[in-house]
Structure formats: structure tokens, C-alpha cells
């Protein structure tokens, strides 16, 4: 919402297409199959035509598989095809709750539960799953990646914090065949209004008691912006701009996102000092707090310091009655629940960090522990359900993408929370026979098989060794890029300003100056324009060191980046003007989020 934004680059011309006699059509210069090769006529295709088209696609994918280094996607599928191809003969649908079998029997829920138990153990949650234990974990395997998990987590947090509860039949009946899904919204009770405080601290507005405010950093994945808009969740920037103009505790104008530490030149980690000031402002006014933290950001690979954030915020939440409060979710029916929710987007980090923790817990003299100490200075950061600060279990929900570190051949992931934070579903759908407790409804039954195969194919120690090896390869990549910078400088071919080589602490990615488009296409590099704190526009690429990225592959990339013209930019790129928060809105418009045109990979 707000004024139109400047584009970050001029449209580029389509890739030139070259005749391909074998396919009887044309093909882009980078080998991508042409649409015409896969057109399906009314009569269908012969087996020879289908095979030829599929061979073309396979040839293209093999080439891209060998050079894909720019995204958080592990290209090492392990034994997935060898072990699991047989299951393509079955329609596997894990519809409904993973802990109830339901009426659709061709499913893999038994495997899903094993995967969930294993990740619950790795993330230090109480397991195995126990429906009677409020502190037991609950979760499910996502059909999408962490975008689905973030959406479900924010929806769960919104409902929990806003005093809603899913109930059965409104008339109090218990017949599942007649019950309906009904939201009951609690009215803000007067007893939640605290006494006026000393000094300038305002009295909390009782109307805010069930009005959660979302906080997330400017390096947060763009899926979160989609989620808060889809779910109509108020963000601190939106409420601050419209209801508290001129009162922002950290700047003259309300930012739409929590600034990252060090700004554009920093690591990508959330600025804890600024977050603390913003949370305090809204907690004083009676708002529940919905906080999303990142554990491996999309471009810089940064880890928000979850433990430090919690240590700063717990005293504020305690002071303003948000550690525990009474909620009247129906007239005369109450429960006690917290007034804050911490969600951790661990799309990449939650997949690797438990294994680094395993390496850290080994005998300090072991080869694995020594190798980890060489690559990781300091302790392995806290991020999961085992984190407790001042006796408070901090994390409310956590997500991970299975196609990233785990190397699934298609998007998937894991969402996890605790029983005590769940808003229960209305009823058991009669025809599925399993509660509709997941976001997707019908869910891909192959995903648990792939994740199970990944976890079961190695010992925990072998997984830990692979994680440490990835850190070592990342350090090798960083040093190789700095050596490349020296080589180019010696030959007087170094672009003005250098290669901008940088790496955030513990990150599995290194960022550097964007190379020529032909190398971006060859190596599937993710690129992002950024403005430095001084206002200088820069264009970056980055490499993510997944297990499929080896030192040999890094060497091949360096050879390409050393070639003549590797950093020439034949197509001029128009730099975007710095953007600021919107200052005015139409009377019937409520701002939810300001989506930047720079950052998060948007171009």
C-alpha cells in the first residue's frame, strides 16, 4: 500500500533462442527447454516424442544441478531415487492430523510421526508426542516449505494472542456431524487495565488486550510480509504510523520493520536494542507481542540472537503482565495463557544447528570437536524449545525447510509447536476421520519418506561431521574470493570498489559483487541490489554452501570469475531511490506492511 515504487532495474531482453534441429524448435542460449517442446496436442504425444522431451529436460537439469550454488537448496539427494522410487506407484495423502490415522489409509503417517519425533528430539522438545501433556510438542510435515510453516505459525499466534478459541457446535451440542467451525472473540475485560504508572508511562488501553502486534526485522524472508497481509495481522509500523505518529522511540518516523544491526552494511541480524525499545512501547500500551526471529536469513545467512532477545524482553513482558494472563474466550469460560509468542523461522538454520551442537558436545579432544572449534568461534547459538530464560520456555513455534539442508527433491518442511499453544480445531471432519489441524489439508505423503530417509541414512555424528564440513567449505569459499580479488588487482582487472566480499558470523553463505549475467545463469546465482549505509548502490550475488557444494566446485566457480569480462555489466542497471515509510494513507486504507524493492532478493 502507498505510492508506486521505483523499479530496481530495467527490463532485460529475453534470452536469444537458437534453432534446435533435434527438437524441431528453438532453445534459449543457456539450454533451457523451449515451451514448444512440451506442448500437448489434442492427440497426445507418441512415446518417442515424450521420451525426447523428457530427455531434453533431464539434460538441462543435469547441467544446472552440477552448477547450482546460489540458493539454499541442497542438490545432494542421497539415495532418494534408489530407496524411494517404488513409492511413486502409490497415491500417498497424509490428510489431517499426523497423530490420527483417519479414513484415508494409503498414507505415510507412521513415517511422519517418526520424522517429527526425531526433529523434536533434535530441537529439544518434549517427545514423543503426548496428547495429554501440555508441554509435549505437536507438529506436522509441510507440503510447501517454510512459507507454509510461517503462515501457519503466524495464524496460530494471532488466534492464540487475540483470545480466540475454536469450539464445536455453537448451541453446545457435541454431535460432530452438526458442529461447525466458529471463532469466539473475547471482549477485552476491564480487569486487564493496569493502574496508572509513575512518570510518562501511559495507562494501557484495554482495547489492546487482544490486539497482537507483529515484529520482524528488515532481513526477514518476504513470505512473512505475505503472511501478515493475508492474515491481517497488525505490524508495529502500521499501528505506529496511524495511531502513534511522532512517538516512535527509535526514529523520527516509524520504520515498517525492526532495523537490522549495522543497517545495510551489517550482518543481517536483528538489532536487539531497537527491538527492545519497540516492544516496550507496545507492551506499555497493553498489546500482546508477536515476534518472528530468523535463524539463517535468505541472503546474508544471519542468525538472530534468540537467547539475547529473550533475556532483554522477558523482564518487559513480566512488568506488563504478558508472561501469563487470564483470557475469557467465551462468556464465563477462562484460561490462562501468555501474552507473547516467539516464532523462529529456521528454514535453513534449524536443519543444521542441532548437528553442530552435537559436535560441540563431543569430547573436546575429538577430531570432530576440534574441527568445529576451528570453524566456529564461541558457542553454538540457542534457538529451539530447549531455550529457557528466567524459567520461561521462550519459543512458541519453529519451522524448517526440508529441501534446504536435508536435500529433499521438492519443497517440504516441518512445523512444530507445543500442545499448550494450540488453538483446537472445531471437529473431526466426517469423511476424513482425522482432525483438520494442519494448514494444507491434503498433504504430500512422499515428503515424510524423504525426510525419514535423510535422517536415517546417517548417524547423528555423521550428520554433525557433514555440518562441520559445510562450515569449512564456506571458509574456503570466502578465502578463495579474497584471493580472486588479489589476483584481479595484480592484473589491473579489479572493478572499482573491489568485489565486496563479506560473510556474516556462522553463515553458510558468502556474498560478493554481482558478476556478468552469463555466469549468473550458469551458476544459478541469487542476486540482490542493496544500498550501503552511505547511500552507495551495490549489486551483490551470493553462494550458499550446501552439502552439494564442494571445494572442487568452488575452484571451478573461481576459474569462471577470473575470466576476462566476468564482472562487466553490459546492461546498465538503474539504482532504486532509497525508500521510506509511507506518511499518509487514504481514510479507508489501513497499512499492513511496506514491502521494500531492495533486499530479500527482490529485483
Amino acid at each position: 500500500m502507498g505510492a508506486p515504487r521505483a523499479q530496481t532495474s530495467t527490463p532485460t531482453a529475453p534470452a536469444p533462442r537458437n534453432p534446435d534441429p533435434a527438437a524441431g524448435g528453438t532453445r534459449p542460449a543457456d539450454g533451457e527447454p523451449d515451451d514448444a517442446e512440451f506442448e500437448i496436442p489434442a492427440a497426445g504425444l507418441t512415446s518417442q516424442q515424450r521420451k525426447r522431451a523428457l530427455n531434453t529436460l533431464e539434460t538441462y537439469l543435469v547441467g544446472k544441478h552440477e552448477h547450482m550454488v546460489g540458493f539454499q537448496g541442497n542438490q545432494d539427494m542421497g539415495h532418494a531415487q534408489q530407496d524411494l522410487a517404488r513409492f511413486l506407484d502409490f497415491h500417498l495423502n497424509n490428510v489431517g492430523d499426523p497423530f490420527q490415522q483417519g479414513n484415508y489409509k494409503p498414507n505415510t503417517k507412521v513415517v511422519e510421526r517418526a520424522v517429527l519425533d526425531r526433529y523434536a528430539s533434535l530441537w529439544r522438545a518434549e517427545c514423543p508426542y503426548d496428547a495429554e501433556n501440555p508441554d509435549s510438542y505437536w507438529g506436522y510435515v509441510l507440503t510447501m516449505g517454510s512459507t507454509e510453516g510461517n503462515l501457519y505459525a503466524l495464524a496460530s499466534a494471532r488466534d492464540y494472542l487475540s483470545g480466540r478459541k475454536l469450539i464445536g457446535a455453537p448451541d453446545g451440542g457435541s454431535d460432530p456431524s452438526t458442529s461447525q467451525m466458529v471463532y469466539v472473540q473475547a471482549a477485552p475485560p476491564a480487569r486487564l487495565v493496569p493502574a496508572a504508572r509513575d512518570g510518562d508511562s501511559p495507562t494501557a488501553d484495554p482495547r489492546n488486550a487482544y490486539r497482537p502486534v507483529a515484529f520482524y526485522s528488515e532481513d526477514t524472508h518476504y513470505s512473512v510480509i505475505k503472511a501478515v497481509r493475508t492474515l491481517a495481522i497488525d505490524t508495529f509500523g502500521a499501528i505506529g504510523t496511524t495511531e502513534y505518529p511522532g512517538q516512535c522511540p527509535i526514529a523520527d518516523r516509524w520504520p515498517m520493520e525492526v532495523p537490522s544491526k549495522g543497517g545495510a552494511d551489517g550482518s543481517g541480524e536483528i538489532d536487539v536494542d531497537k527491538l527492545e525499545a519497540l516492544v516496550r512501547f507496545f507492551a506499555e500500551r497493553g498489546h500482546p507481542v508477536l515476534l518472528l526471529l530468523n535463524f539463517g536469513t535468505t541472503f546474508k545467512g544471519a542468525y538472530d540472537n534468540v537467547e539475547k532477545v529473550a533475556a532483554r524482553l522477558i523482564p518487559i513482558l513480566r512488568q506488563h503482565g504478558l508472561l501469563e494472563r487470564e483470557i475469557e474466550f467465551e462468556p464465563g469460560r477462562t484460561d490462562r495463557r501468555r501474552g507473547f509468542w516467539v516464532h523462529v523461522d529456521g528454514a535453513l538454520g534449524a536443519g543444521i544447528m542441532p548437528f553442530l551442537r552435537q559436535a560441540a558436545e563431543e569430547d573436546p579432544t575429538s577430531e570432530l570437536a576440534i574441527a568445529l572449534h576451528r570453524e566456529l568461534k564461541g558457542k553454538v547459538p540457542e534457538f529451539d524449545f530447549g531455550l529457557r530464560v528466567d524459567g520461561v520456555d521462550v519459543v512458541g513455534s519453529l519451522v524448517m525447510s526440508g529441501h534446504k539442508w536435508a536435500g529433499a527433491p521438492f519443497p517440504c518442511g516441518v512445523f512444530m509447536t507445543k500442545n499448550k499453544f494450540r488453538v483446537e480445531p472445531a471437529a473431526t471432519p466426517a469423511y476424513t476421520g482425522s482432525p483438520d489441524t494442519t494448514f494444507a489439508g491434503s498433504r504430500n505423503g512422499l515428503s515424510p519418506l524423504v525426510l525419514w530417509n535423510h535422517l536415517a541414512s546417517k548417524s547423528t555424528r555423521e550428520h554433525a561431521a557433514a555440518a562441520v564440513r559445510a562450515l569449512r567449505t564456506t571458509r574456503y569459499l570466502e578465502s578463495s574470493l579474497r584471493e580472486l580479488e588479489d589476483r584481479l588487482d595484480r592484473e589491473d582487472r579489479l572493478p572499482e570498489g573491489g568485489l565486496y566480499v563479506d560473510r556474516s558470523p556462522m553463515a553458510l553463505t558468502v556474498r560478493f559483487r554481482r558478476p556478468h549475467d552469463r555466469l549468473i545463469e550458469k551458476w544459478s546465482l541469487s542476486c540482490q541490489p542493496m544500498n550501503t549505509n552511505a547511500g552507495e548502490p551495490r549489486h551483490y550475488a551470493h553462494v550458499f554452501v550446501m552439502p552439494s557444494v564442494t571445494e572442487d566446485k568452488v575452484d571451478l566457480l573461481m576459474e569462471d570469475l577470473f575470466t576476462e569480462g566476468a564482472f562487466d555489466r553490459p546492461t546498465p542497471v538503474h539504482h532504486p531511490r532509497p525508500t521510506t515509510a509511507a506518511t499518509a494513507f487514504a481514510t479507508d486504507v489501513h497499512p499492513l506492511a511496506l514491502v521494500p524493492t531492495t533486499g530479500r532478493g527482490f529485483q
Side-chain angles (χ1 to χ4, degrees):
M1 298 182 182
R5 315 302 293 278
Q7 292 184 345
T8 62
S9 62
T10 55
T12 56
R17 295 184 175 273
N18 303 321
D20 182 10
T26 59
R27 181 165 298 143
D30 71 343
E32 181 181 351
D34 189 82
D35 292 351
E37 298 177 67
F38 290 87
E39 288 180 0
I40 303 173
L45 296 172
T46 66
S47 58
Q48 183 180 18
Q49 290 171 323
R50 293 198 309 274
K51 186 172 183 179
R52 183 168 62 195
L54 294 174
N55 286 345
T56 298
L57 179 61
E58 182 184 24
T59 300
Y60 167 74
L61 292 176
V62 167
K64 292 304 178 185
H65 174 274
E66 292 175 351
H67 295 96
M68 211 291 285
V69 298
F71 291 81
Q72 301 178 20
N74 184 5
Q75 300 297 296
D76 184 1
M77 303 295 108
H79 303 286
Q81 180 180 22
Q82 176 183 334
D83 295 346
L84 305 177
R86 73 188 88 169
F87 296 102
L88 289 174
D89 288 333
F90 303 96
H91 181 103
L92 301 176
N93 188 340
N94 286 15
V95 61
D97 192 285
F99 298 98
Q100 296 196 35
Q101 180 71 354
N103 297 332
Y104 188 86
K105 301 306 182 182
N107 64 58
T108 61
K109 289 186 178 182
V110 63
V111 180
E112 182 176 15
R113 292 190 291 270
V115 168
L116 293 170
D117 278 350
R118 184 66 182 123
Y119 275 115
S121 175
L122 291 171
W123 295 336
R124 302 184 300 175
E126 289 201 23
C127 59
Y129 169 72
D130 179 1
E132 303 300 320
N133 179 4
D135 285 307
S136 168
Y137 89 89
W138 179 88
Y140 74 98
V141 172
L142 304 163
T143 290
M144 295 162 51
S146 288
T147 292
E148 177 189 341
N150 286 336
L151 186 60
Y152 191 72
L154 292 177
S156 300
R158 177 200 63 184
D159 292 350
Y160 177 89
L161 295 173
S162 61
R164 298 177 181 176
K165 184 175 180 63
L166 283 172
I167 60 173
D171 59 2
S174 58
D175 183 357
S177 66
T178 61
S179 61
Q180 303 176 43
M181 296 181 73
V182 176
Y183 274 122
V184 174
Q185 174 65 62
R191 63 178 172 275
L192 286 182
V193 183
R197 300 181 179 85
D198 295 333
D200 297 328
S201 181
T203 299
D205 188 332
R207 293 170 297 181
N208 294 334
Y210 297 133
R211 192 181 174 202
V213 178
F215 301 82
Y216 51 86
S217 81
E218 60 189 353
D219 277 87
T220 298
H221 191 265
Y222 60 83
S223 67
V224 173
I225 289 90
K226 291 194 295 185
V228 296
R229 294 192 64 182
T230 300
L231 299 166
I233 296 174
D234 286 319
T235 65
F236 78 89
I239 296 181
T241 300
T242 57
E243 300 181 24
Y244 306 107
Q247 300 182 50
C248 179
I250 65 170
D252 293 336
R253 294 181 178 179
W254 286 95
M256 284 295 173
E257 298 155 324
V258 182
S260 294
K261 186 177 179 181
D265 300 341
S267 66
E269 176 186 339
I270 197 168
D271 189 318
V272 181
D273 292 335
K274 290 183 171 60
L275 173 65
E276 179 183 5
L278 291 166
V279 168
R280 185 187 302 276
F281 181 93
F282 285 93
E284 287 175 345
R285 286 152 181 81
H287 287 279
V289 173
L290 199 176
L291 175 60
L292 183 140
L293 297 174
N294 299 296
F295 209 65
T297 59
T298 309
F299 197 81
K300 294 181 178 179
Y303 299 94
D304 288 342
N305 192 330
V306 184
E307 185 174 15
K308 181 178 179 180
V309 167
R312 292 284 195 90
L313 298 189
I314 291 297
I316 297 173
L317 299 171
R318 177 177 286 113
Q319 177 186 356
H320 298 289
L322 295 176
L323 286 188
E324 187 178 55
R325 57 189 188 147
E326 188 173 86
I327 297 294
E328 187 176 17
F329 57 87
E330 286 180 335
R333 296 186 64 193
T334 63
D335 63 24
R336 298 193 66 80
R337 62 177 83 166
R338 57 180 55 178
F340 75 97
W341 185 296
V342 176
H343 171 63
V344 177
D345 181 358
L348 174 61
I352 183 175
M353 204 59 68
F355 299 117
L356 293 179
R357 181 163 53 214
Q358 165 72 21
E361 292 173 351
E362 284 217 345
D363 184 318
T365 62
S366 74
E367 181 181 347
L368 184 57
I370 292 171
L372 176 67
H373 180 71
R374 187 181 300 120
E375 305 303 331
L376 184 63
K377 310 305 180 185
K379 71 173 188 176
V380 175
E382 302 278 2
F383 73 98
D384 57 22
F385 298 104
L387 174 60
R388 300 186 70 88
V389 174
D390 291 342
V392 178
D393 52 328
V394 173
V395 176
S397 55
L398 175 64
V399 296
M400 180 210 71
S401 291
H403 52 287
K404 293 183 177 177
W405 181 257
F410 39 72
C412 62
V414 174
F415 167 85
M416 194 166 288
T417 184
K418 292 185 176 183
N419 276 333
K420 65 183 179 182
F421 300 138
R422 297 173 62 200
V423 178
E424 296 293 337
T428 302
Y431 81 101
T432 64
S434 181
D436 186 29
T437 53
T438 70
F439 186 79
S442 290
R443 296 184 293 110
N444 183 356
L446 285 170
S447 297
L449 285 169
V450 171
L451 295 177
W452 180 88
N453 216 46
H454 161 73
L455 292 169
S457 63
K458 298 176 183 176
S459 67
T460 302
R461 196 173 192 281
E462 288 171 325
H463 281 294
V468 173
R469 187 162 55 249
L471 283 176
R472 183 177 67 241
T473 306
T474 309
R475 180 165 57 88
Y476 180 77
L477 168 64
E478 182 182 11
S479 64
S480 296
L481 282 165
R482 297 193 186 280
E483 289 173 6
L484 172 67
E485 193 169 40
D486 290 340
R487 292 170 64 196
L488 291 171
D489 190 30
R490 287 195 297 269
E491 295 197 5
D492 201 24
R493 292 196 289 123
L494 184 66
E496 183 179 357
L499 297 188
Y500 314 148
V501 180
D502 202 2
R503 178 190 176 198
S504 298
M506 299 178 292
L508 291 180
T509 182
V510 183
R511 51 194 182 274
F512 57 98
R513 179 189 285 265
R514 172 177 173 153
H516 192 281
D517 288 350
R518 62 181 168 82
L519 296 181
I520 293 171
E521 293 174 355
K522 177 177 180 180
W523 291 96
S524 295
L525 296 177
S526 171
C527 300
Q528 178 168 311
M530 296 175 62
N531 290 313
T532 66
N533 290 343
E536 175 193 354
R538 289 183 176 181
H539 290 263
Y540 284 94
H542 71 171
V543 170
F544 254 101
V545 179
M546 295 292 95
S548 52
V549 177
T550 62
E551 292 186 3
D552 288 342
K553 192 173 289 188
V554 170
D555 291 342
L556 292 174
L557 173 62
M558 294 305 112
E559 289 181 16
D560 278 354
L561 293 176
F562 187 67
T563 58
E564 196 72 35
F567 289 97
D568 290 348
R569 296 297 308 279
T571 304
V573 176
H574 295 285
H575 305 307
R577 295 190 301 271
T579 59
T580 57
T583 57
F585 297 89
T587 57
D588 60 343
V589 171
H590 179 58
L592 290 174
L594 183 67
V595 182
T597 54
T598 59
R600 300 189 178 88
F602 287 138
Q603 296 190 60

